[in-house]
Amino acid sequence: MRGRMAGQERRIDDTMLIREAQRGNRAAFEELVRHYDQAVLRLALHLTGTEQDAQDVYQDAFLKAYKNIGNFRFECSFYTWIYRIVTNLCLDHLRKRNVRKEDAPVAKDPSGGEYDLLDQVPDVRAGANPERDLMRRQLGARISGALEKLTPRERMVFELKHYHGLKLRTVGEILQTTEETAKNTLFRATQKLRGALADMR
Amino acid sequence: MKCEWVRENIVLQVYGELADDARHELEQHVARCADCAAELKAEQEFHALLAQDRAADATPNLVAASRMRLQEALETAKQGSFFSRLAFDPANWLRQVKFSPALASAILIFGFAGGIVTTYKFIPHSTTGIVQGPATVPVQTSIAGIDSISQDPNTNQISIKYKAVSEEQKQGSLNDQDIQQLLLYAAHNNYNSGVRVDSVDLLAKRSGDLQVREALMYALQNDTNPGVRLKSLDALGNYVKDDTNVRDAVLRALVNDDNSGVRIEALRLIEPVKADGSVRGVLMALAAKDQSTYIKSQARTMLAQLPEID
């Protein structure tokens, strides 16, 4: 009950902020950004794999939102709207990376070593159990390798559902498709992942 | 057929996305069908395997840096104005017109009337519009604002472009009194936060000067841009130990600043003086009820490192 009331409060709060931002109030827009930006960064970080790219997606997404907020007509929630902008930018990023990957089959970091997503992310739990930590790193590397093989859209649906816990109905709205299509895409993505990671179990 | 349906829906079951009736049907089938039960178990195990890998949260530093970069960009970004929205969305116009016959006829009438009026009025008027430029007589008066500050890395010469009635430029070293005055002015008053950042950056090299420190403290407490506040905070860092005014200013930033990046930096700076009574008090308040879990835990860690006092 309290959760629902808090949700409603946030909605009212956001509506006021959106209206203010539409009138050109930059402070209101910045406040709105603060309501969503940590989730946006987390999504972009996991999808792009580097802080630099995640920051670029963040910057482009909110600038685009700022420039276009006048066109926001409350036909969907602001949450869906902002996620739509972010996922479109991430999809562009994934597509571009897929093209680049055809030139260089293995992604390399600047020093020439093979690229490992988990090396980019500091693990605060490290130290407690080095062996388990190593296992987790290896698992993470295998999983991100398998994720790379999905199509950008499959990857996006899986990402939003699995790592960010969104409802498939919302995923469909964000990607401007039906819930049914999102379900089918999730099915295909997990089938592929299970195939790629079959030896891990 | 049934098994095929079950296979396709097992993933939805695992993610809790199945409707209640479909879930019931699936559970009933799995209880009877060994193959599908094995498939469900395999999917659940795979799900558990994947669940060990979490998407990491963005670090507070990354959040703060991203917000700062965005704020900088927003200062120059333009929103689509009300007028351009009307003018450049013909599809929306048509949608509105479709539902509003009164508006449609009004537009039609205005169109006719406008056409007739411009036919008669436009030509004579079009020959008179000459744009007058502003008077370009250079007059020495007070400064109206500062446009840019830059330093040549080779010569260490600082160039400041500022607006009086005419634009002037001053060049000199950081030791130059005039340059210092301009920098102090820029840190206090300028409308462009990029210039404020540059001036604070340069003033930081002279933070031994009391007047400079005052300007930096002013910026730390009053500047609307977190980038400027962070720069002045860094510049003041060395004086937290010796200058109690600086220490108080940093503590105020630690308690009151609305940007978590600034607050985390402030917390880092007061680390060497954490045994100080006023600092200890602030740390205890933060450890007890700060909204940021990171700051709360850092404050706790710092308190734990202090010797107990009775």
Side-chain angles (χ1 to χ4, degrees):
Chain A
M1 184 65 196
R2 259 191 64 197
R4 215 183 70 202
M5 274 177 64
Q8 264 174 356
E9 248 167 54
R10 161 62 57 85
R11 181 69 63 88
I12 294 165
D13 208 17
D14 277 359
T15 305
M16 269 166 52
L17 288 173
I18 294 161
R19 291 205 191 285
E20 278 300 306
Q22 287 179 326
R23 286 192 200 103
N25 181 340
R26 215 176 67 212
F29 182 77
E30 283 172 11
E31 182 61 30
L32 209 50
V33 168
R34 280 194 278 275
H35 287 179
Y36 294 91
D37 66 348
Q38 297 192 30
V40 166
L41 259 183
R42 184 162 169 264
L43 175 67
L45 193 60
H46 199 252
L47 271 169
T48 63
T50 71
E51 291 202 340
Q52 182 60 49
D53 287 342
Q55 237 186 8
D56 287 347
V57 168
Y58 176 104
Q59 180 85 348
D60 292 349
F62 284 115
L63 272 180
K64 206 167 174 189
Y66 183 69
K67 285 174 186 161
N68 291 298
I69 197 162
N71 298 327
F72 179 74
R73 299 196 194 290
F74 298 90
E75 284 156 357
C76 61
S77 68
F78 188 74
Y79 179 92
T80 304
W81 190 72
I82 196 81
Y83 262 82
R84 202 171 280 165
I85 295 177
V86 175
T87 50
N88 274 331
L89 288 167
C90 286
L91 283 172
D92 286 346
H93 182 90
L94 291 176
R95 285 181 196 123
K96 269 187 219 147
R97 198 165 62 184
N98 282 357
V99 172
R100 276 204 307 272
K101 248 193 315 199
E102 279 163 20
D103 301 334
V106 182
K108 298 273 175 77
D109 64 19
S111 59
E114 268 192 39
Y115 175 75
D116 177 2
L117 171 73
L118 283 202
D119 284 343
Q120 314 284 319
V121 184
D123 188 347
V124 287
R125 300 159 301 191
N129 185 341
E131 203 170 319
R132 213 182 59 196
D133 195 56
L134 182 69
M135 298 251 298
R136 191 182 282 123
R137 266 168 182 278
Q138 283 170 344
L139 174 70
R142 284 292 309 275
I143 293 176
S144 55
L147 288 171
E148 295 284 324
K149 295 202 179 70
L150 300 179
T151 68
R153 240 178 138 71
E154 286 166 355
R155 170 93 199 253
M156 186 58 79
V157 169
F158 186 77
E159 190 79 25
L160 293 173
K161 179 68 228 172
H162 180 79
Y163 289 104
H164 301 272
L166 269 60
K167 288 267 163 223
L168 283 172
R169 198 163 71 91
T170 319
V171 174
E173 272 173 24
I174 289 170
L175 299 176
Q176 290 176 296
T177 178
T178 61
E179 185 179 351
E180 204 52 42
T181 309
K183 279 180 181 171
N184 291 335
T185 314
L186 178 70
F187 177 69
R188 272 202 314 278
T190 45
Q191 288 296 100
K192 280 190 188 179
L193 288 174
R194 270 179 69 176
L197 299 168
D199 60 315
M200 296 289 287
R201 283 175 288 152
Chain B
M1 177 60 203
K2 187 75 177 179
C3 287
E4 199 184 316
W5 176 86
V6 169
R7 298 289 159 93
E8 279 168 14
N9 283 279
I10 275 177
V11 62
L12 300 178
Q13 160 79 349
V14 171
Y15 279 111
E17 284 276 356
L18 221 47
D20 291 334
D21 51 351
R23 186 167 45 103
H24 178 76
E25 210 171 318
L26 190 135
E27 281 166 357
Q28 293 285 313
H29 177 86
V30 167
R32 291 190 309 270
C33 174
D35 283 354
C36 286
E39 180 65 19
L40 175 63
K41 191 156 173 277
E43 185 75 44
Q44 279 166 340
E45 278 169 7
F46 180 66
H47 191 70
L49 179 80
L50 286 184
Q52 291 175 41
D53 178 48
R54 284 188 63 250
D57 283 327
T59 60
N61 276 344
L62 180 63
V63 176
S66 306
R67 284 178 181 173
M68 260 178 230
R69 195 171 144 212
L70 179 66
Q71 276 177 334
E72 288 284 320
L74 285 177
E75 283 189 14
T76 49
K78 289 231 161 36
Q79 275 186 318
S81 68
F82 179 70
F83 182 74
S84 69
R85 254 180 273 144
L86 288 182
F88 293 118
D89 192 359
N92 191 47
W93 260 82
L94 281 177
R95 258 202 309 280
Q96 286 183 4
V97 167
K98 199 163 70 182
F99 295 115
S100 164
L103 179 64
S105 29
I107 290 171
L108 199 65
I109 293 163
F110 271 118
F112 263 113
I116 292 162
V117 169
T118 47
T119 311
Y120 289 101
K121 293 275 177 82
F122 187 75
I123 296 163
H125 270 273
S126 66
T127 54
T128 58
I130 297 166
V131 178
Q132 291 277 324
T136 51
V137 187
V139 184
Q140 283 221 322
T141 54
S142 60
I143 306 148
I146 293 188
D147 291 325
S148 77
I149 298 177
S150 62
Q151 187 181 30
D152 187 330
N154 299 321
T155 59
N156 276 343
Q157 288 290 299
I158 298 157
S159 307
I160 298 181
K161 230 187 228 175
Y162 59 95
K163 272 206 182 67
V165 169
S166 64
E167 201 161 82
E168 296 177 16
Q169 193 161 328
K170 180 91 198 165
Q171 290 197 337
S173 74
L174 193 52
N175 296 323
D176 190 321
Q177 282 283 329
D178 291 346
I179 288 285
Q180 282 173 29
Q181 285 307 315
L182 283 169
L183 288 173
L184 286 172
Y185 178 87
H188 267 271
N189 301 314
N190 206 57
Y191 52 87
N192 179 336
S193 69
V195 168
R196 295 203 304 275
V197 169
D198 289 338
S199 65
V200 166
D201 215 16
L202 286 165
L203 285 171
K205 293 172 190 157
R206 289 194 62 85
S207 53
D209 188 326
L210 207 60
Q211 204 189 354
V212 168
R213 282 214 294 281
E214 267 166 22
L216 291 172
M217 283 189 273
Y218 177 87
L220 173 60
Q221 278 165 46
N222 300 305
D223 205 287
T224 52
N225 183 297
V228 177
R229 299 204 298 276
L230 204 59
K231 285 256 183 217
S232 31
L233 193 56
D234 280 336
L236 289 167
N238 291 333
Y239 294 88
V240 167
K241 240 180 181 145
D242 304 325
D243 188 334
T244 48
N245 286 333
V246 168
R247 190 181 306 171
D248 290 346
V250 173
L251 284 176
R252 270 197 294 277
L254 176 55
V255 176
N256 297 326
D257 205 289
D258 57 9
N259 182 295
S260 58
V262 172
R263 297 180 57 228
I264 287 165
E265 184 63 11
L267 188 64
R268 196 182 66 77
L269 288 180
I270 56 147
E271 221 271 326
V273 289
K274 62 190 171 195
D276 180 89
S278 61
V279 178
R280 189 191 280 260
V282 169
L283 284 178
M284 282 162 83
L286 293 176
K289 54 174 174 45
D290 197 79
Q291 55 190 5
S292 152
T293 48
Y294 177 77
I295 288 179
K296 205 193 258 184
S297 76
Q298 283 296 101
R300 280 199 188 131
T301 316
M302 282 162 73
L303 281 172
Q305 289 162 354
L306 291 177
E308 285 293 323
I309 44 168
D310 307 308

